[in-house]
Amino acid sequence: MSSVDTPPVVGGRTIALLGNPNVGKTTLFNKLVGLRAKTSNFPGTTQEARHAYYDGSVLIDLPGIYSLNLDMSESEVCRQTLHGDLAPLGVKPDVPDAILVVIDATNLMRNLTIVAEAIDQRLPMVVAVNMMDAAKRRGIGIDLERLSECLGCTVVGCSAKTGDGVDKLMDAIHHATIPNRSAPTDLDAIEAWSDDIYSLVAAARETPINDRLTDRLDRAFTHPLLGVLTFAIIMTGLFWVIFKLAAIPMDLIDAWFGSFGGWVGGMLPEGPISGLLVDGIIAGVGGTVIFLPQIVLLFFLLAMLEGTGYLARAAFVIDRVLRPFGLSGHAFVPLLSSHACAIPGIMAARAVPDPKDRLATILVAPFMSCTARIPVYVLLTVILFPDSPAMQAVAFTSCYVIGVLAALFSSFLVRRTVLKGPSRPMAMELPSYRLPDLKAAFLLTYDRAMMFLRKAGTLIVAISIVLWWLGAYPHAATPQESIDLREQAIASSDADTIESLESQADMIEARHASARSFLGQIGGTIQPVFEPLGYDRQLTIGVLASFAAREVFVSTMAVQVVGTDDTEDDSVLASIANAQRDDGTPVFTRATSWSLLVYYILAMLCLPTVVVTAKEAGGWRWAWLQLGWMTLLAYSGALIVYQAVSLLS
């Protein structure tokens, strides 16, 4: 076996994996190539493709489709790939040397359409009858030899989950030939062909117990009321696990980057290079990687749920909820993923088949309250309800609810204006219940995590460097007040007094430098725009800095108010809560706090997400529309809340 980074040998074959959704095609692909697979797009599309080199050949895992002739982007991608007009990035477009059609042994008849269409391509092909172990447990037997005669090509039974028959399958692929029979075309021939194949399947005489259990579970999971309740319970448990378990690695990552930044800063003399490395690059990378545990856990748990077969039932239930707002159940996973981070959520929207549904999902995904908003929510809910943990919890939960409602309202609006038109009805097969494949879940999680780091990490680091430069330059002259304090420290002989005076001087210099930096000057210039929302110069700078990442709002405020970004210190958070404006009035009045909370729920404030939207939606016009609409909604909502609370107060 060769590495994924090693191109195939001269004369190597290109093998396309084709099949319906939920037949185990990608599981089989993972069984063959594992971590050596590359994930990329087909040029000019948002359709995802995985490919890897295996024994000198390149394997392409095509999107799962029910038919090559459907008017869907996935079907178009498969058609063009089989015709030699398209290939994933990194693979030369050419007619595949062979097709590997993967079908489900437990539901053979359903797969006949894609098999017939593959035969019609007149390319060497092999049919892999997957899930033979599941078929055996359900009392289903298949005469593979007669099925091979009927199809006119090699048929191999296998189990991608256990690995049985996989070696034999790969040997058959390397010796694949063009089927010696043509696919039926007229209706009578199709019916006769189907009857012949149906006779090869020997099912158990009575319905297995598992099937009766499946029917009962389906009635519960897809019930209009019980299904929604079950979904709510499962999702609550999922997020509890994510936030509970991810806290430990997140703290470790934060501590490691803090220590590493301190070590690098100690090794280098103070200056622009040290500032760039410590406060720009290391801080930018740390700000990205710290959320990786939550993203990894989210995708792993979603992969496990999908492996059990429940996720399809959840999408079916949520389709009823989303349909009136112009979305379909296919948007369920992207919107759910956006609660960890909007970037992987937007990328997950590739799975939404209808182009208009996909665009609507991308445009509203950032309304989901991602983990980067949590520090802001915590700060403001504590300020609003300092002595009431119960009210803090209610306000915190309301932030998520408001975000979801804003997304539904925005989708309703966009589907009746710029994306006007009927939604494609959701057609989804409910796969059989089964134990999830841990290896497949791990591989998917690894793939998504690497994709997030590659796409999001580079963007966030670049933007962090720019914002660091805006916040660090130009260097301001040392204020006289700070000079006086340092002179007093030099004259003192008491260690505690010296430490206190030096600390005060550092705080004054940090606040002075922040106010006079490019970012501070921009904030002072733009502040009149935010004045109707109740924001002073300091809050305006905090909002502008949040375009790098929302979570830096708290640390930015700490630097301006206290002169340090150590937000782990309770006294620092208390100082932020009691911060004063330049005229001596409180920064965080009740009206301003409510206004700021609403603004952070609704505003984009994440430039990397804007860039990813432009890439995934197919143009910057959609990214500007998203940014403009979210900014308008956030500003209007914050303005109304500020004026209303001020009036009531």
Side-chain angles (χ1 to χ4, degrees):
M1 299 180 187
S2 60
S3 166
V4 69
D5 295 320
T6 305
V9 297
V10 176
R13 295 158 66 85
T14 300
I15 302 165
L17 276 69
L18 184 67
N20 291 170
N22 302 313
V23 297
K25 177 172 56 66
T26 298
T27 303
L28 178 60
F29 178 84
N30 288 335
K31 192 72 175 180
L32 294 170
V33 301
L35 293 175
R36 295 175 294 122
K38 280 186 176 179
T39 300
S40 63
N41 284 359
F42 290 93
T45 78
T46 60
Q47 291 302 318
E48 198 173 271
R50 303 184 74 226
H51 68 278
Y53 300 117
Y54 182 92
D55 286 346
S57 297
V58 58
L59 274 64
I60 302 175
D61 183 18
L62 293 173
I65 59 171
Y66 291 104
S67 171
L68 287 169
N69 299 320
L70 293 177
D71 182 22
M72 297 175 64
S73 57
E74 294 90 337
S75 299
E76 176 65 20
V77 162
C78 292
R79 286 195 298 270
Q80 291 191 43
T81 303
L82 295 180
H83 294 161
D85 300 326
L86 190 65
L89 294 171
V91 179
K92 182 181 178 181
D94 200 358
V95 176
D97 296 287
I99 306 174
L100 174 58
V101 184
V102 185
I103 61 178
D104 182 358
T106 65
N107 202 341
L108 190 65
M109 302 306 295
R110 183 203 70 205
N111 296 265
L112 291 183
T113 298
I114 198 70
V115 172
E117 291 173 350
I119 292 174
D120 199 42
Q121 300 300 309
R122 309 314 297 164
L123 292 172
M125 65 175 280
V126 172
V127 174
V129 184
N130 193 25
M131 304 184 190
M132 290 293 289
D133 54 334
K136 184 178 180 180
R137 287 195 302 269
R138 297 176 61 178
I140 299 174
I142 301 175
D143 189 333
L144 297 176
E145 290 186 9
R146 289 185 58 198
L147 180 60
S148 176
E149 294 175 4
C150 188
L151 299 180
C153 64
T154 303
V155 175
V156 179
C158 66
S159 171
K161 186 175 181 181
T162 65
D164 292 341
V166 173
D167 291 338
K168 184 179 179 181
L169 176 63
M170 290 309 301
D171 182 66
I173 292 174
H174 287 298
H175 298 89
T177 58
I178 297 175
N180 57 26
R181 296 193 179 186
S182 299
T185 54
D186 62 274
L187 185 60
D188 292 337
I190 291 174
E191 289 180 353
W193 189 62
S194 300
D195 290 341
D196 286 344
I197 294 178
Y198 186 75
S199 67
L200 307 179
V201 181
R205 293 186 177 181
E206 60 182 42
T207 303
I209 294 177
N210 286 342
D211 285 356
R212 296 199 295 269
L213 177 61
T214 294
D215 292 339
R216 289 198 293 269
L217 288 174
D218 281 346
R219 281 195 294 271
F221 289 152
T222 60
H223 190 273
L225 181 59
L226 187 58
V228 173
L229 180 62
T230 303
F231 169 79
I233 293 173
I234 291 176
M235 290 302 107
T236 300
L238 181 141
F239 278 106
W240 182 87
V241 170
I242 289 173
F243 290 125
K244 191 72 174 178
L245 296 185
I248 298 174
M250 289 179 73
D251 290 341
L252 292 175
I253 291 172
D254 188 39
W256 187 88
F257 273 97
S259 299
F260 182 62
W263 178 78
V264 172
M267 295 290 291
L268 297 173
E270 290 189 12
I273 295 179
S274 175
L276 172 63
L277 289 175
V278 176
D279 300 322
I281 297 176
I282 295 177
V285 173
T288 302
V289 177
I290 193 172
F291 294 104
L292 188 60
Q294 289 182 332
I295 292 170
V296 165
L297 266 176
L298 174 65
F299 280 116
F300 179 76
L301 293 175
L302 286 178
M304 294 292 284
L305 283 176
E306 185 175 17
T308 64
Y310 172 74
L311 213 57
R313 276 85 180 170
F316 179 79
V317 170
I318 297 304
D319 182 69
R320 299 181 184 134
V321 179
L322 298 179
R323 184 63 61 183
F325 300 96
L327 296 172
S328 71
H330 294 291
F332 157 63
V333 171
L335 295 182
L336 183 64
S337 303
S338 297
H339 280 96
C341 177
I343 291 174
I346 289 172
M347 291 190 291
R350 298 170 182 173
V352 181
D354 183 80
K356 291 183 178 179
D357 284 352
R358 184 187 306 122
L359 268 174
T361 303
I362 290 173
L363 292 176
V364 305
F367 280 113
M368 303 296 108
S369 289
C370 64
T371 52
R373 287 178 166 108
I374 292 177
V376 185
Y377 290 174
V378 170
L379 173 67
L380 295 175
T381 53
V382 169
I383 290 175
L384 287 167
F385 305 101
D387 301 317
S388 178
M391 288 303 298
Q392 292 172 15
V394 171
F396 191 91
T397 304
S398 299
C399 295
Y400 282 81
V401 174
I402 293 172
V404 171
L405 293 177
L408 295 178
F409 169 72
S410 299
S411 176
F412 179 86
L413 191 63
V414 77
R415 287 310 310 271
R416 283 156 180 79
T417 52
V418 293
L419 295 177
K420 191 174 182 179
S423 296
R424 178 176 294 163
M426 182 181 179
M428 175 178 285
E429 175 199 0
L430 298 182
S432 302
Y433 291 102
R434 51 185 179 264
L435 291 175
D437 188 334
L438 288 174
K439 182 180 179 181
F442 169 75
L443 289 173
L444 175 65
T445 302
Y446 174 83
D447 189 50
R448 297 298 180 188
M450 292 301 102
M451 187 184 300
F452 170 78
L453 289 178
R454 285 194 301 268
K455 290 199 172 184
T458 53
L459 294 172
I460 291 179
V461 170
I463 293 172
S464 296
I465 291 173
V466 172
L467 285 174
W468 163 80
W469 182 81
L470 290 174
Y473 291 93
H475 291 304
T478 304
Q480 186 61 44
E481 185 180 0
S482 172
I483 295 174
D484 294 341
L485 288 171
R486 296 194 186 280
E487 290 177 350
Q488 294 177 34
I490 294 173
S492 176
S493 58
D494 181 69
D496 292 339
T497 301
I498 293 174
E499 182 179 357
S500 175
L501 291 171
E502 291 285 355
S503 177
Q504 292 179 52
D506 289 341
M507 291 168 54
I508 291 171
E509 289 175 9
R511 294 181 60 183
H512 181 78
S514 175
R516 284 156 181 77
S517 66
F518 288 126
L519 189 62
Q521 295 176 41
I522 294 172
T525 303
I526 297 179
Q527 189 272 333
V529 176
F530 288 94
E531 188 170 358
L533 310 185
Y535 306 168
D536 72 332
R537 174 186 56 81
Q538 298 171 91
L539 284 181
T540 302
I541 294 174
V543 169
L544 293 177
S546 297
F547 276 100
R550 296 179 180 95
E551 66 274 11
V552 304
F553 171 80
V554 180
S555 59
T556 302
M557 291 302 299
V559 169
Q560 296 182 88
V561 174
V562 188
T564 176
D565 60 359
D566 182 13
T567 56
E568 299 297 322
D569 190 337
D570 291 339
S571 64
V572 172
L573 295 178
S575 298
I576 295 175
N578 296 309
Q580 294 184 344
R581 301 170 185 257
D582 295 335
D583 61 3
T585 58
V587 170
F588 290 99
T589 64
R590 190 168 187 80
T592 299
S593 298
W594 276 116
S595 169
L596 194 62
L597 187 60
V598 170
Y599 190 85
Y600 267 85
I601 293 171
L602 301 176
M604 170 61 78
L605 292 180
C606 184
L607 290 181
T609 301
V610 177
V611 176
V612 172
T613 293
K615 289 183 177 180
E616 296 294 316
W620 277 98
R621 58 178 181 142
W622 298 111
W624 296 131
L625 173 64
Q626 182 188 62
L627 177 62
W629 169 248
M630 293 185 69
T631 302
L632 175 63
L633 198 62
Y635 190 94
S636 302
L639 176 64
I640 293 171
V641 168
Y642 177 75
Q643 299 298 336
V645 175
S646 297
L647 183 63
L648 293 174
S649 299

